[in-house]
Amino acid sequence: MIAIPYLTALTTYFSYGLLFAFGQLRDFGRKLMDWFSSNNLQGYAPICLGLEDFYIRRLYLRIQDCFGRPIASAPDAWFDVVERHSNDNNKTLKRTGKVSRCLNLGSYNYLGFAAADEYCTPRVVESLEKYSPSTCSSRVDGGTTALHEELEECVANYVGKPAALVFGMGYVTNSAILPVLVGKGSLIISDSLNHNSIVNGARGSGAIIRVFQHNIPSHLEEVLREQIAEGQPRTHRPWKKIIVIVEGIYSMEGELCKLPEIIAICRKYKAYTYLDEAHSIGAVGKTGRGVCELLGVDTADIDIMMGTFTKSFGSCGGYIAGSKELIQYLKYTCPAHLYATSISPPAAQQIISAIKVILGEDGSNRGARKLAQIRENSNFFRSELQKMGFEVLGDNDSPVMPIMLYNPAKIPAFSRECLKQNVAVVTVAFPATPLLLARARICISASHSREDLIKALEVISRVGDLVGIKYFPAEPIKQPGESKDKKAD
């Protein structure tokens, strides 16, 4: 749990209250104007009513220049950000045709495969020429190539499961799979900070949903025990099945899942375990095999393993890995497999090639170097931010580093000031996070050099002083020879 300083919480509530009050006042004025003007709806109800788009109109649009920034190059350590301007107070943004070369601290490019690669890129180009950009068909029709079958075998071997099934979109992997796995009469117990794709998939399943406090195994056990004792609502019959859903690295917190403890509880109460490794597969562990490898967990103890190819492999799509029986069942029932266009062949080839580099099957040790670099970069950057006095969430080895901003006015201030100094960051606020917990989310890459990170730290430190987000006292800078003098004393 994040302990918000009392004064920070008070000023944040006041800021949102002020924005809400003035927004309501402006809405009231607009209603008065609409009352006296002609109604062009011709009997239709407004497509957006009242508070449905209030947040977008009165809060988001004021700072929308901080979001959705278009880029004009590959999302490598440095990339080109397209400049935009507005003549109507940010209601609309127009591109100027100019670009700024910025240090990239926002893209999910953990191992640096998003840019051209000496091993991956030639093979991707070759697959493009052979198979074309798209199969233009679902997997069960004409959308399965030799690359898709090779990819599924490659993924299964990589994550340590008997079989795997791949999809063209990571979000859909969760949202389409969960309604197939569970339904009415089943129970989903989900971490309170699970990704939106899990939330929507769970809601669409028809199963009863219960939430446990974020990453607290003791509360998970409490919820499990209570639900098993009570059974289904009204009838109190035993649950048809119970599935516990957690993430390997939580995308907005940068925290590692307490997987060993959670698995022990699931085994104790005979509940299935569903692990989302979108941000951990390829990024952590000695050979990049995710939190299971990092925390010493046997993948045989996890029933369903999910992951995406967008973060560490420089591609797109997602996968489900599990028993052969599970994967065969999904092939017959999952709408994302039956009806959606299969993953692009060049994208599939990119994933296969990236995995081969990670495992050293390309004949080099570049994969091992990338894994060592992402770990070193992440731990160095996190440590330096904390020394400066920033409130940084997450655990060591995690490449995701949220810097807490809290106050809504500090969201655009931090983003814009960093961009002025050629550092591109991602800021995140409600509804992606709780209202009071706005943050900047830093994503570190193996492609970042030490000079890149030092530049980023210098810029973030200056902006942090300007904006006022150093919520802790900074560590004093040690003078050269200071430690020697202490030893001499």
Side-chain angles (χ1 to χ4, degrees), residues 329-355:
Y329 169 73
L330 293 177
K331 287 181 178 180
Y332 293 136
T333 56
C334 180
H337 179 78
L338 295 172
Y339 307 116
T341 302
S342 62
I343 188 171
S344 167
Q349 180 61 64
Q350 168 67 27
I351 303 160
I352 295 168
S353 301
I355 291 175

Side-chain angles (χ1 to χ4, degrees), residues 155-411:
V155 168
N157 292 334
Y158 183 64
V159 302
K161 280 293 185 181
L165 188 62
V166 298
F167 304 90
M169 183 180 179
Y171 188 98
V172 168
T173 306
N174 276 327
S175 61
I177 284 291
L178 289 173
V180 177
L181 291 175
V182 289
K184 189 176 180 180
S186 298
L187 173 67
I188 292 174
I189 301 181
S190 179
D191 187 287
S192 61
L193 296 183
N194 273 340
H195 191 264
N196 181 261
S197 60
I198 295 174
V199 174
N200 282 341
R203 287 173 178 170
S205 69
I208 298 297
I209 304 167
R210 294 292 180 265
V211 174
F212 69 95
Q213 294 173 13
H214 171 58
N215 220 12
I216 300 179
S218 59
H219 189 244
L220 167 63
E221 183 170 17
E222 183 182 323
V223 173
L224 261 170
R225 190 188 306 117
E226 179 183 341
Q227 292 301 316
I228 290 173
E230 290 183 0
Q232 297 183 41
R234 295 190 299 274
T235 64
H236 301 291
R237 292 176 179 173
W239 299 100
K240 292 180 179 179
K241 68 179 82 167
I242 302 174
I243 184 167
V244 175
I245 307 177
V246 294
E247 295 184 35
I249 292 179
Y250 289 89
S251 58
M252 289 298 168
E253 282 68 38
E255 294 177 1
L256 295 169
C257 171
K258 295 179 180 177
L259 195 57
E261 297 93 327
I262 288 172
I263 287 177
I265 292 169
C266 289
R267 288 170 67 87
K268 178 180 178 181
Y269 291 94
K270 303 297 185 280
Y272 291 110
T273 309
Y274 184 109
L275 175 64
D276 179 339
E277 286 217 84
H279 285 268
S280 53
I281 191 66
V284 296
K286 186 177 179 180
T287 60
R289 286 182 165 89
V291 289
C292 293
E293 183 177 49
L294 182 67
L295 302 177
V297 172
D298 188 351
T299 55
D301 293 332
I302 300 171
D303 302 289
I304 305 116
M305 298 182 71
M306 177 270 177
T308 64
F309 304 122
T310 52
K311 280 75 177 179
S312 296
F313 307 99
S315 189
C316 62
Y319 68 85
I320 291 289
S323 65
K324 291 183 178 179
E325 294 77 16
L326 170 68
I327 300 304
Q328 195 65 29
Y329 169 73
L330 293 177
K331 287 181 178 180
Y332 293 136
T333 56
C334 180
H337 179 78
L338 295 172
Y339 307 116
T341 302
S342 62
I343 188 171
S344 167
Q349 180 61 64
Q350 168 67 27
I351 303 160
I352 295 168
S353 301
I355 291 175
K356 288 183 177 180
V357 172
I358 293 170
L359 297 178
E361 294 177 7
D362 64 329
S364 74
N365 65 345
R366 289 195 307 123
R369 293 205 310 269
K370 284 177 178 288
L371 289 166
Q373 190 68 46
I374 182 65
R375 183 167 55 250
E376 181 183 335
N377 285 355
S378 299
N379 293 338
F380 167 76
F381 204 80
R382 183 184 302 278
S383 173
E384 293 301 311
L385 286 174
Q386 291 170 339
K387 289 176 183 177
M388 291 175 180
F390 292 102
E391 184 176 357
V392 185
L393 305 185
D395 298 315
N396 282 338
D397 289 353
S398 169
V400 181
M401 267 156 261
I403 302 174
M404 298 308 297
L405 302 176
Y406 296 118
N407 197 290
K410 296 181 179 182
I411 300 169

Side-chain angles (χ1 to χ4, degrees), residues 419-438:
L419 188 65
K420 285 180 184 177
Q421 301 183 50
N422 298 103
V423 173
V425 297
V426 169
T427 50
V428 188
F430 179 84
T433 66
L435 190 66
L436 295 186
L437 303 182

